[in-house]
Amino acid sequence: MEKEKMVKELNRLIGKESVLGTDMQIQLYEYDASLIRSKPDCIVLPTSTEQVSKVVKFAHDNGIRVIARGAGTNLSGGSISLQGGIAIVLTRMNNILELDIENQRVVVQPGVITLNLKNFLAKHGYLYQPDPASEKASTLGGNIGENSGGPHCLKYGVTSNHVLGGELVLYNGEVVQIGGKALDNPGYDLSGVFVGSEGTLGIMTKAILRIMPKAEAVKTMMCIFNSIEEGGDTVSAIIADGIIPATLEMMDNLTIKAVEEAYNMGLPKDAAAILIIELDGLSDGMERLTNRILDICKKHHVREIRVAKDQAERDKIWAGRKGAFGAVGRLRPNYMVNDGTVPRTKLPETLAKVIAIGKKYNLPIANVFHAGDGNLHPLILFDERDADELKRVHAAANEILKVCADMGGTISGEHGIGVEKIHGMQLICSSQDLASMRNVKVAFDPDGTYNPGKVLPELQKTA
Amino acid sequence: MPQKDQLVSALQKIVGKANVIQGPKKLKDCAVDGLVPKAIVCPKNEKEISKVMAIANANKMTVVPRGSGTKMAAGGIPRKVDLVLSLSKLNRVVDYDKANLSLSVQAGITLAALQKKLGAGRKGNFLPLDPPFTEKATIGGIVATNSSGPKRYIYGTARDMLLGIKAVSPDGDIVSFGGKTMKNVSGYDMTKLMIGTWGGLGIITEITTKLLPLPEASATLLLSFGDLEAAGKYIRKIIHSSLLPSAVELINGAAADRLGEKSKYLLALSLEGVVEAVARQITEISESSKKEGAKGVKVLKGTKEKAFWVRVRDLGSDLAKKYGSPVILKSNFVISKHVELMARCEKITEAAGVRAAFICHAGNGILHTYILDKPGAGAKLKGLIELIGKLTLEAVKDEGNLVVESCPPEMKEKISVWGQPRHDQILMRRLKEKMDPAGILNPGRFVGGI
Ligand SMILES: Cc1cc2nc3c(=O)[nH]c(=O)nc-3n(C[C@H](O)[C@H](O)[C@H](O)COP(=O)(O)OP(=O)(O)OC[C@H]3O[C@@H](n4cnc5c(N)ncnc54)[C@H](O)[C@@H]3O)c2cc1C
């Protein structure tokens, strides 16, 4: 359908205040936090499920592709409209619909910003655990789309462990409710397979999330190391000793320097690695657990340990960690974040290989990541305008994906496949595995209306 | 379909003669709701399963996967049972990575055997699943039916622990999803999709899961209450506090009786973790519960504690030993209604003149109702059917549903074992049709007759 006609129809369907179609407006939605760019034909900003449903039905009836979009902060090209069509931006559906403390649930619209929900719950003494570093900007719909993680997911699990159901708009505009506030509803775990489907199966217009009372005690410490190997070994040793803290995050020297320059928080700029270890739970026994961890650190020649004395100091440590991508981003015009994940025992070996790859391609790589989960985030720094450098970046990124796959790991732990890593899917999935996933796609979205060209590579037809 | 002997010889070629069972007694033992299979096949590995499935698929023969058979009385009546595929020979630990706290095992191993292996040595680990049939249940069966127990309160269920699944699809493809990493968003989360599908989308042959280190200390508090209201108030207090019990079980008098405890309503709290935290919770809960109306407080430790939880888990399997297919119901509901739903269900069963034991995972909104009478026939059966209808409505009122986990086949013909139809069945049907187009895996046994 021609763009003009599309805009006119959409204006009629949901009102022109909810439709954007000028070139300038569209340019604002041609990107996400990856390097990929591509434009939708027009943009709608619905305020209700009914509007989403109408738009999707219209699109489906006319063979137009649809993409759901939250804040556009994903790092894999997930919210880029590869084949034009309509981008449904959900940021105006940003109400917390119901706080149900008695049942420990909250019901939200997808456009609610993650941190807004967390701040709202904190006032009532409750927590929604997933905490992506981008929580200030990201939407819950986007978190669900990507199955986002964060530091505290080591102990509490990722987004999907906290999504119990919701409302979906299907490919033809039909609205269905999946899961619910109660656990164990009979049937397939539709929420389980929907979370992390990157907008390719449907649009979630309402989500039912698990909340929990906040912990009695929290202890946050920063362990500073002179060698990155020893930092990585410490992580593996803590887990192998049977301790699963609430967080086990790591930053390397390049990251430490960048964070210190951006935030001035007194980090030693010459340190090779910092671990941020947080314990939470009951206060009893926490001291002894802390000492066990510190003993392990000492065995690995920790240089200094700083324990946060109060909430303000704790907040400062986390501000540094959560601002790390931004801080590193100031070093060069562009960065590409890798998201490979390996068994935690393979962390030190994988880190060494990543460092070697940086050297081989002559690219600065900063590492800041969820070490306890074995989820690396090498940030490759470069300048997009330098064609040769860009080529090396892609080569290095691919090599890192391959290293992670070879280590018995996977190519993405929390940022998603999108377009950016779609060529890597065959590193970890057989064509039978992919065919099985394709069946799920077709069951949900038989005509390929939603987010075409993402997650699943086209399969070679076999006879 | 080819002749039976042709079929049998084809199967024999794949798995070996000894592994195709045809003895009438054995076949009868493996009947599902009275439907006797043509043969039981016991493949030794995925490749053999794959070949068996390819034949079955090509000939539209239906296949019922089977672990140790503890759940065969569950689910709807199958449309047809041609082959029972036993996973008992797939019982190997594939990879126990202690330092990574992960484990890959084949589906046919029993959880009990596994826990023994994991717990051995100085720094033991465990897989925090504690479903019914403590000694018999296999990992594959537990995962396929998403079976869980009291300690899900703190540890969650299979969906919170599993990292990966290997399966054979209905057309014989061997597929593998997820792996040894703690996080994975590379493609759809097929592992979660496969959990709880009752073998309807593929035959689960191997799982990979996180493990946890065995807790340093554990104890169980048995608090006895004279009325549900006081128990309910106290439960609310606990689950909204920062205390961290690992199980919060509310048990009625009839159930307590079977567990060897005398109490009108028993609240069992399991405490696990570091020594100091367990000790503190024992003291704090003992004191506060008395203030809130608990009449007695008992602390269980060591073998007594272990035995108590095994009895809780196995109340249903003990009934099964007695009655074959006892009536066991599972209601789910929003967690705040723990005592209210139990009170209503108690009243309704009493009014129907039926004796029932109730055990409620009070922190998770799951109520198990064990009918203590023999299901019987005629008017008695009719009465039970009416009762199930009423109890289902009660759960639905509290945003849940009711699943009949076990009952005799003659009852199944007259009820919906999966409770009231829900809004999302349309998606389930489409998934089933796409993933098992010939409809050969367990047809008819799952929600909505898929
Ligand atoms: C500086 C920075 C730090 C980051 N840190 C982390 C981190 O710590 N952990 C982490 O996991 N990620 C992190 N990310 C990645 C990103 O923030 C997350 O992927 C986030 O969840 C995306 O949310 P969004 O609202 O921006 O979604 P978008 O980017 O707009 O969309 C993401 C995907 O979800 C789909 N989608 C959006 N809304 C819906 C809906 N309602 N229904 C169905 N599908 C939908 C989209 O189609 C798209 O495929 C970071 C990104 C940046 C830039």
Side-chain angles (χ1 to χ4, degrees):
Chain A
M1 187 182 286
E2 273 169 34
K3 193 180 125 183
E4 247 158 67
K5 191 161 170 234
M6 204 189 289
V7 171
K8 221 166 107 193
E9 286 292 313
L10 288 167
N11 282 343
R12 193 180 56 79
L13 272 179
I14 62 167
K16 66 172 197 284
E17 64 287 356
S18 302
V19 183
L20 308 177
T22 69
D23 287 350
M24 205 180 76
Q25 287 168 331
I26 283 170
Q27 223 160 40
L28 292 174
Y29 294 92
E30 67 165 1
Y31 66 93
D32 54 21
S34 70
L35 296 173
I36 300 138
R37 309 269 177 277
S38 182
K39 290 188 180 74
D41 293 320
C42 67
I43 293 134
V44 296
L45 292 134
T47 53
S48 67
T49 302
E50 199 197 339
Q51 288 191 344
V52 175
S53 158
K54 274 188 188 163
V55 171
V56 173
K57 180 171 185 334
F58 161 76
H60 177 252
D61 290 349
N62 293 283
I64 299 166
R65 305 288 181 237
V66 175
I67 187 164
R69 188 180 167 100
T73 68
N74 82 84
L75 294 156
S76 50
S79 50
I80 297 298
S81 304
L82 287 183
Q83 301 180 14
I86 303 170
I88 301 188
V89 180
L90 294 145
T91 47
R92 284 188 190 165
M93 288 176 69
N94 59 355
N95 294 309
I96 296 172
L97 298 172
E98 188 193 350
L99 171 63
D100 184 354
I101 287 191
E102 284 310 304
N103 291 315
Q104 299 188 348
R105 306 287 182 259
V106 62
V107 184
V108 297
Q109 287 187 314
V112 172
I113 290 178
T114 315
L115 190 60
N116 289 357
L117 173 68
K118 293 174 87 97
N119 288 340
F120 169 78
L121 292 171
K123 282 191 225 140
H124 299 270
Y126 283 78
L127 277 167
Y128 166 71
Q129 290 290 0
D131 55 347
S134 51
E135 65 194 6
K136 266 191 215 161
S138 75
T139 64
L140 288 159
N143 295 168
I144 288 167
E146 301 290 353
N147 193 10
S148 297
H152 287 82
C153 296
L154 172 60
K155 178 166 173 186
Y156 292 102
V158 288
T159 300
S160 66
N161 298 98
H162 302 269
V163 178
L164 302 172
E167 179 181 79
L168 301 185
V169 175
L170 303 184
Y171 71 102
N172 54 1
E174 198 179 334
V175 179
V176 298
Q177 314 293 328
I178 62 169
K181 278 188 190 171
L183 302 173
D184 287 21
N185 287 300
Y188 301 149
D189 185 356
L190 297 173
S191 311
V193 74
F194 187 85
V195 177
S197 62
E198 304 191 26
T200 61
L201 301 182
I203 297 182
M204 194 170 257
T205 44
K206 201 195 273 180
I208 303 169
L209 309 175
R210 183 204 310 272
I211 59 173
M212 43 179 85
K214 76 179 214 292
E216 176 183 87
V218 182
K219 180 161 219 143
T220 313
M221 40 205 152
M222 225 162 52
C223 307
I224 301 163
F225 290 84
N226 278 336
S227 115
I228 188 153
E229 290 79 17
E230 281 180 327
D233 286 343
T234 304
V235 172
S236 298
I238 290 174
I239 300 288
D241 200 47
I243 304 172
I244 301 175
T247 78
L248 198 38
E249 296 285 304
M250 186 159 160
M251 297 197 267
D252 71 356
N253 174 263
L254 196 50
T255 313
I256 296 167
K257 277 199 303 218
V259 168
E260 184 52 26
E261 268 148 34
Y263 296 97
N264 239 319
M265 43 189 290
L267 299 183
K269 284 207 258 183
D270 62 333
I274 290 181
L275 293 182
I276 304 173
I277 307 178
E278 191 163 283
L279 296 172
D280 71 0
L282 294 175
S283 53
D284 312 73
M286 200 175 266
E287 223 25 69
R288 189 164 52 85
L289 207 53
T290 306
N291 289 335
R292 257 172 83 191
I293 291 176
L294 296 186
D295 279 347
I296 296 172
C297 289
K298 281 179 199 146
K299 255 190 218 144
H300 292 90
H301 309 106
V302 67
R303 149 173 151 187
E304 188 191 338
I305 293 160
R306 298 181 188 174
V307 180
K309 283 193 284 298
D310 50 28
Q311 189 60 40
E313 282 196 18
R314 197 169 298 131
D315 289 346
K316 208 165 147 195
I317 293 178
W318 284 118
R321 164 62 185 92
K322 289 187 176 160
F325 280 16
V328 172
R330 304 189 338 164
L331 303 179
R332 298 287 318 264
N334 303 89
Y335 65 77
M336 183 191 241
V337 196
N338 205 286
D339 185 35
T341 305
V342 293
R344 351 193 217 208
T345 36
K346 302 281 186 188
L347 192 67
E349 200 181 334
T350 313
L351 256 180
K353 290 202 170 161
V354 168
I355 293 167
I357 290 171
K359 287 212 179 99
K360 173 173 159 192
Y361 290 100
N362 191 22
L363 291 164
I365 296 185
N367 283 287
V368 42
F369 60 104
H370 312 302
D373 280 321
N375 183 190
L376 292 107
H377 287 334
L379 291 123
I380 311 175
L381 307 177
F382 63 101
D383 185 342
E384 199 174 12
R385 292 160 298 188
D386 179 338
D388 173 64
E389 201 171 46
L390 190 59
K391 227 163 93 191
R392 281 182 282 128
V393 169
H394 284 296
N398 282 338
E399 216 166 300
I400 295 173
L401 292 188
K402 196 155 177 313
V403 164
C404 292
D406 290 345
M407 289 284 168
T410 191
I411 60 174
S412 183
E414 59 175 24
H415 295 166
I417 298 302
V419 198
E420 195 206 43
K421 301 184 204 70
I422 200 164
H423 60 277
M425 282 295 278
Q426 262 124 339
L427 291 173
I428 49 162
C429 290
S430 69
S431 53
Q432 285 90 340
D433 303 343
L434 290 170
S436 198
M437 292 186 195
R438 173 76 56 194
N439 279 336
V440 172
K441 165 75 177 170
V442 177
F444 273 87
D445 181 18
D447 302 320
T449 303
Y450 280 124
N451 210 358
K454 307 293 171 71
V455 186
L456 301 179
E458 286 304 324
L459 289 176
Q460 305 292 336
K461 286 261 181 304
T462 47
Chain B
M1 191 183 295
Q3 292 296 305
K4 191 177 162 199
D5 355 331
Q6 270 175 301
L7 166 72
V8 166
S9 72
L11 291 172
Q12 281 173 344
K13 235 186 239 153
I14 300 170
V15 298
K17 220 171 179 168
N19 293 322
V20 180
I21 296 167
Q22 295 187 84
K25 160 109 189 24
K26 291 226 167 102
L27 290 183
K28 218 172 144 217
D29 284 347
C30 279
V32 187
D33 293 329
L35 299 174
V36 181
K38 295 190 175 71
I40 303 165
V41 211
C42 310
K44 293 178 286 303
N45 51 45
E46 275 117 8
K47 274 211 182 102
E48 290 184 0
I49 297 179
S50 157
K51 286 183 192 155
V52 171
M53 290 310 292
I55 291 191
N57 199 43
N59 294 295
K60 292 214 179 333
M61 282 189 322
T62 63
V63 178
V64 176
R66 180 182 163 110
S68 59
T70 65
K71 294 246 169 176
M72 296 320 263
I77 299 175
R79 276 195 283 282
K80 191 156 118 340
V81 178
D82 292 325
L83 291 182
V84 164
L85 191 147
S86 162
L87 288 140
S88 56
K89 290 202 186 314
L90 278 83
N91 59 3
R92 225 164 22 88
V93 172
V94 179
D95 172 42
Y96 175 20
D97 189 344
K98 229 174 155 173
N100 187 46
L101 285 176
S102 72
L103 168 84
S104 302
V105 278
Q106 290 187 309
I109 195 169
T110 64
L111 180 61
L114 192 59
Q115 300 287 34
K116 217 175 259 167
K117 276 188 199 167
L118 299 174
R122 199 175 62 85
K123 280 213 158 105
N125 297 316
F126 76 120
L127 172 57
L129 291 173
D130 58 341
F133 298 94
T134 309
E135 287 299 320
K136 276 182 82 182
T138 63
I139 283 290
I142 293 167
V143 170
T145 58
N146 195 16
S147 191
S148 63
K151 293 188 182 166
R152 63 180 286 171
Y153 178 67
I154 199 88
Y155 302 116
T157 54
R159 87 192 294 273
D160 302 300
M161 293 311 295
L162 257 59
L163 304 171
I165 271 184
K166 211 167 176 186
V168 179
S169 68
D171 59 4
D173 275 354
I174 299 172
V175 288
S176 170
F177 307 112
K180 272 175 81 169
T181 59
M182 297 301 126
K183 288 155 77 181
N184 192 335
V185 293
S186 312
Y188 300 144
D189 194 340
M190 301 295 283
T191 304
K192 285 209 176 54
L193 178 62
M194 295 296 293
I195 295 170
T197 48
W198 288 74
L201 299 182
I203 295 179
I204 298 172
T205 55
E206 184 182 314
I207 61 127
T208 298
T209 177
K210 295 186 213 181
L211 297 174
L212 289 179
L214 278 169
E216 251 178 41
S218 81
T220 291
L221 285 175
L222 299 182
L223 313 175
S224 86
F225 285 88
D227 63 285
L228 266 180
E229 209 182 318
K233 267 201 190 136
Y234 192 63
I235 292 170
R236 193 217 171 266
K237 201 168 166 165
I238 294 282
I239 65 184
H240 287 270
S241 75
S242 49
L243 294 181
L244 296 164
S246 50
V248 182
E249 295 286 291
L250 178 63
I251 297 163
N252 83 335
D257 203 40
R258 304 213 137 224
L259 304 175
E261 299 293 329
K262 287 271 161 289
S263 171
K264 201 148 178 232
Y265 294 101
L266 192 68
L267 179 59
L269 299 176
S270 147
L271 306 169
E272 293 173 314
V274 292
V275 177
E276 296 89 334
V278 171
R280 168 211 161 171
Q281 292 183 95
I282 294 178
T283 322
E284 197 171 315
I285 294 173
S286 301
E287 279 166 19
S288 67
S289 63
K290 274 186 206 145
K291 270 189 222 139
E292 305 270 340
K295 297 216 156 46
V297 176
K298 199 159 138 187
V299 185
L300 299 181
K301 284 188 179 170
T303 48
K304 281 214 174 106
E305 184 193 10
K306 274 210 185 85
F308 173 81
W309 288 110
V310 169
R311 283 199 296 276
V312 171
R313 288 163 66 178
D314 289 349
L315 203 136
S317 36
D318 292 345
L319 282 178
K321 270 182 216 144
K322 212 162 132 193
Y323 297 146
S325 311
V327 177
I328 301 174
L329 315 172
K330 172 184 173 184
S331 317
N332 69 323
F333 55 93
V334 288
I335 60 170
S336 64
K337 302 291 184 179
H338 31 64
V339 301
E340 283 158 56
L341 184 71
M342 184 141 141
R344 287 181 347 239
C345 292
E346 245 185 348
K347 221 163 132 193
I348 294 168
T349 19
E350 254 172 51
V354 171
R355 292 185 310 132
F358 292 98
I359 299 187
C360 176
H361 303 324
N364 294 106
I366 310 284
L367 173 70
H368 277 103
T369 305
Y370 304 89
I371 305 292
L372 298 173
D373 305 315
K374 196 169 163 99
K380 205 160 170 208
L381 197 72
K382 212 169 141 231
L384 281 178
I385 290 171
E386 265 169 37
L387 175 66
I388 292 173
K390 282 185 193 156
L391 297 179
T392 306
L393 290 181
E394 293 303 320
V396 171
K397 263 188 224 160
D398 288 335
E399 299 181 49
N401 216 331
L402 183 144
V403 174
V404 179
E405 288 201 324
S406 161
C407 76
E410 42 301 1
M411 195 165 192
K412 280 189 190 173
E413 286 161 14
K414 305 194 176 74
I415 55 171
S416 149
V417 296
W418 295 107
Q420 284 199 354
R422 286 166 49 88
H423 207 208
D424 46 11
Q425 262 178 27
I426 165 186
L427 281 171
M428 296 179 196
R429 181 166 297 275
R430 275 197 231 143
L431 277 166
K432 173 73 176 173
E433 283 166 2
K434 271 321 290 181
M435 299 188 71
D436 178 17
I440 60 163
L441 271 178
N442 258 333
R445 285 185 78 199
F446 202 48
V447 180
I450 56 178

